[in-house]
């Protein structure tokens, strides 16, 4: 029988609930937020369950969340999420820190036979045989009062998650794969994941590889200005300037309001509000500081490189056969290309993928291991 749902909108109720579940070894956690009209997510609801209790906590009604903070940052309690990153961003902005330790069912699911980045509803259906109600997916969670149906919808997210966690954890333990996820979960605790530095904002913009160096330098300045402006005014960055408009400005370098207004994709309100700042950026001379590396144009790979990728793919398949894991979960063709081009950041060389196949890929690329046939089977360096 599912636990009863408590709706908490007073400090006394919150204190009583946090005390009641404070000795739990783990809790399932979810949030509801809105960011359609803001840069930062607006924290609207917090759901917590431990298998026997479940609550929806209203942060719009309760200003002091120290009881929740103590619960979330108690390292004796594992915090279970599905696709944790957005929820953790909420907590980072609210508490200036990231809860730990973390268990993310979306990251764990591929290690017990599910597709990579499986959605919450699909995982609940596959594991529990329960169909998740999607009626309130588009709810405006800032509105009060919430209906009984909205509260039930929100609470069910953590009630199902609390039922999922022991099952997935048991499967991981049986397969001996819990330790594989340690690096991935620890990475989620890095506060740097939740800080958008204006100087790095250009990295989220596609199409920069087709710009000339001076145009690229201007795009970097424009992206940093837009990010700063969005943060300071708590507005979506695309409300300041859309990506396609930013690229057009970098290409054309308009030096007057009329020239700016004539560009494709430029909103007249944006010209009115931000035109002078944009033109000033266009006219700003290069200050001589080292520019970030410009993205490279995609080059056609040589036949030799394709052959190396084929060998890497064969190595991944070899390891996946041993561990009965779908190779697509471990490394796509693009992931293997990244291992060739940028090994320090390649996904297949990080976390559990590194232990499963990444270390062997690195050894193969460094000519410390050899793929060969033995007894009609593919082996690595004769060790298999």
């Amino acid at each position: 029988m599912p636990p009863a749902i408590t709706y908490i909108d007073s400090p006394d109720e919150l204190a009583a609930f946090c005390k009641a579940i404070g000795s739990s070894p783990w809790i399932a956690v979810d949030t509801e937020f809105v960011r359609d009209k803001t840069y930062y997510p607006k924290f609207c609801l917090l759901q917590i369950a431990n298998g026997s209790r479940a609550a929806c906590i209203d942060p719009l009604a309760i200003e002091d969340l120290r009881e929740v903070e103590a619960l979330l940052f108690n390292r004796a309690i594992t915090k279970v999420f599905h696709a944790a990153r957005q929820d953790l961003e909420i907590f980072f902005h609210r508490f200036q820190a990231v809860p730990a330790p973390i268990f993310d069912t979306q990251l764990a699911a591929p290690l017990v036979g599910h597709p990579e980045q499986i959605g919450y509803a699909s995982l609940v259906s596959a594991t529990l045989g329960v169909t998740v109600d999607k009626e309130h997916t588009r709810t405006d969670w800032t509105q009060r009062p919430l209906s009984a149906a909205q509260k039930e919808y929100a609470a069910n997210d953590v009630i199902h998650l609390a039922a999922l966690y022991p099952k997935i954890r048991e499967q991981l333990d049986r397969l001996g794969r819990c330790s594989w996820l340690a690096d991935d979960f620890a990475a989620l605790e890095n506060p740097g994941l939740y800080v958008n530095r204006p100087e790095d904002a250009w990295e989220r913009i596609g199409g920069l590889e087709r710009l000339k160096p001076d145009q690229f330098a201007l795009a970097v300045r424009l992206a940093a200005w837009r990010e700063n402006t969005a943060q300071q005014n708590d507005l979506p960055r695309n409300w300041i300037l859309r990506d396609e408009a930013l690229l057009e400005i970098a290409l054309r370098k308009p030096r007057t309001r009329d020239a700016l207004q004539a560009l494709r994709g430029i909103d007249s309100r944006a010209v009115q509000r931000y035109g002078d700042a944009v033109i000033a950026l266009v006219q700003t001379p290069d200050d001589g500081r080292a520019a970030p590396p410009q993205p490279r144009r995609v080059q056609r790979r040589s036949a030799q490189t394709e052959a190396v990728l084929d060998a890497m793919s064969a190595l991944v398949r070899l390891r996946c056969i041993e561990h009965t894991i779908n190779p697509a979960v471990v490394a796509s063709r693009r992931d293997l290309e990244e291992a060739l081009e940028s090994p320090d950041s390649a996904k297949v060389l990080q976390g559990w993928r590194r232990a499963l196949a990444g270390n062997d890929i690195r050894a193969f690329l460094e000519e410390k291991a050899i793929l060969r046939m033995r007894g009609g089977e593919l082996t690595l360096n004769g060790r298999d």
Side-chain angles (χ1 to χ4, degrees):
M1 183 175 178
I5 301 168
T6 304
Y7 184 77
I8 297 174
D9 59 2
S10 76
D12 289 344
E13 290 174 312
L14 179 60
F17 176 76
C18 291
K19 181 178 180 180
I21 67 169
S23 59
S24 302
W26 58 267
I27 55 174
V29 184
D30 190 31
T31 64
E32 305 297 345
F33 60 91
V34 175
R35 71 187 315 167
D36 296 341
K37 300 177 181 179
T38 60
Y39 181 90
Y40 297 103
K42 186 174 180 62
F43 185 18
C44 300
L45 200 66
L46 169 63
Q47 304 97 278
I48 297 177
N50 70 347
S52 59
R53 296 174 179 267
C56 294
I57 300 164
D58 190 347
L60 300 182
I62 307 173
E63 183 175 345
D64 186 351
L65 293 179
R66 281 178 292 183
E67 298 281 355
V68 165
E69 184 177 5
L71 189 70
L72 292 174
F73 289 87
N74 182 346
R75 293 199 66 92
I77 302 174
T78 297
K79 274 63 69 172
V80 181
F81 297 86
H82 183 86
R85 189 156 173 171
Q86 286 189 317
D87 300 305
L88 295 176
E89 181 185 2
I90 295 282
F91 298 135
F92 175 77
H93 289 301
R94 183 64 185 247
F95 303 118
Q96 289 75 57
V98 183
I102 300 300
F103 186 99
D104 189 328
T105 56
Q106 188 180 61
L107 294 179
L111 297 189
V112 295
H114 298 285
E116 187 176 18
Q117 295 191 336
I118 186 172
Y120 171 73
S122 297
L123 185 59
V124 169
S125 177
T127 307
L128 304 177
V130 174
T131 299
V132 174
D133 176 19
K134 298 183 180 180
E135 180 181 353
H136 299 285
T137 302
R138 303 299 299 173
T139 288
D140 180 355
W141 294 103
T142 64
Q143 298 299 309
R144 294 295 184 273
L146 296 175
S147 69
Q150 288 172 323
K151 295 173 186 176
E152 182 179 4
Y153 168 86
N156 278 338
D157 280 349
V158 286
I159 290 173
H160 297 327
L161 187 57
L164 273 175
Y165 171 65
K167 292 181 178 294
I168 292 178
R169 184 61 188 257
E170 186 277 329
Q171 290 175 284
L172 287 170
D173 286 338
R174 177 164 42 83
L175 294 167
R177 295 176 183 173
C178 276
S179 61
W180 290 15
L181 291 159
D183 289 347
D184 287 353
F185 292 164
L188 289 170
E189 300 173 22
N190 177 13
L193 284 178
Y194 313 100
V195 176
N196 292 324
R197 303 194 323 149
E199 58 267 37
D200 297 331
W202 65 273
E203 295 177 356
R204 288 188 293 270
I205 302 173
L208 296 178
E209 69 281 351
R210 62 189 175 93
L211 300 180
K212 296 177 181 177
D214 60 322
Q215 296 169 336
F216 172 69
L218 174 55
V220 170
R221 294 200 301 272
L222 286 166
W225 164 81
R226 181 181 67 171
E227 201 74 13
N228 261 318
T229 304
Q231 290 176 353
Q232 290 169 6
N233 295 279
D234 195 19
L235 293 172
R237 61 177 67 89
N238 280 342
W239 284 24
I240 310 298
L241 199 65
R242 301 189 70 83
D243 284 0
E244 54 267 32
L246 189 153
L247 285 171
E248 192 71 8
I249 293 167
L251 280 166
R252 308 300 176 192
K253 296 185 178 180
R255 292 181 171 269
T256 67
R257 276 179 171 256
D258 288 343
L260 180 62
Q261 181 71 70
L263 295 183
R264 181 179 57 190
I266 305 295
D267 186 278
S268 59
R269 289 173 297 182
V271 174
Q272 181 67 29
R273 185 171 298 177
Y274 306 116
D276 291 342
V278 169
I279 291 167
L281 286 168
V282 172
Q283 295 176 343
T284 299
D286 195 323
D287 61 8
R289 290 182 296 182
Q294 186 169 355
R296 295 180 298 170
R297 292 180 182 270
V298 176
Q299 302 291 327
R300 183 178 178 85
R301 294 189 296 272
S302 69
Q304 185 65 33
T305 299
E306 291 286 1
V308 172
L309 290 169
D310 288 341
M312 294 166 66
S313 180
L315 200 159
V316 169
R317 287 181 175 277
L318 176 64
R319 294 305 181 215
C320 289
I321 290 169
E322 295 173 355
H323 292 89
T324 61
I325 291 179
N326 186 338
V329 168
V330 178
S332 66
R333 189 80 168 184
R334 183 67 196 105
D335 294 329
L336 297 178
E337 292 172 20
E338 189 178 11
L340 280 177
E341 298 166 0
S342 308
D344 289 341
S345 59
K347 184 169 71 172
V348 72
L349 301 179
Q350 310 296 324
W352 64 267
R353 292 174 176 85
R354 181 185 65 211
L356 180 70
N359 288 333
D360 287 337
I361 286 174
R362 190 181 289 274
F364 172 73
L365 294 177
E366 293 174 354
E367 302 180 25
K368 296 176 181 177
I370 301 170
L371 274 172
R372 66 183 185 184
M373 292 291 293
R374 186 173 67 183
E377 294 185 352
L378 187 66
T379 65
L380 180 69
N381 207 32
R383 294 185 291 106
D384 302 283

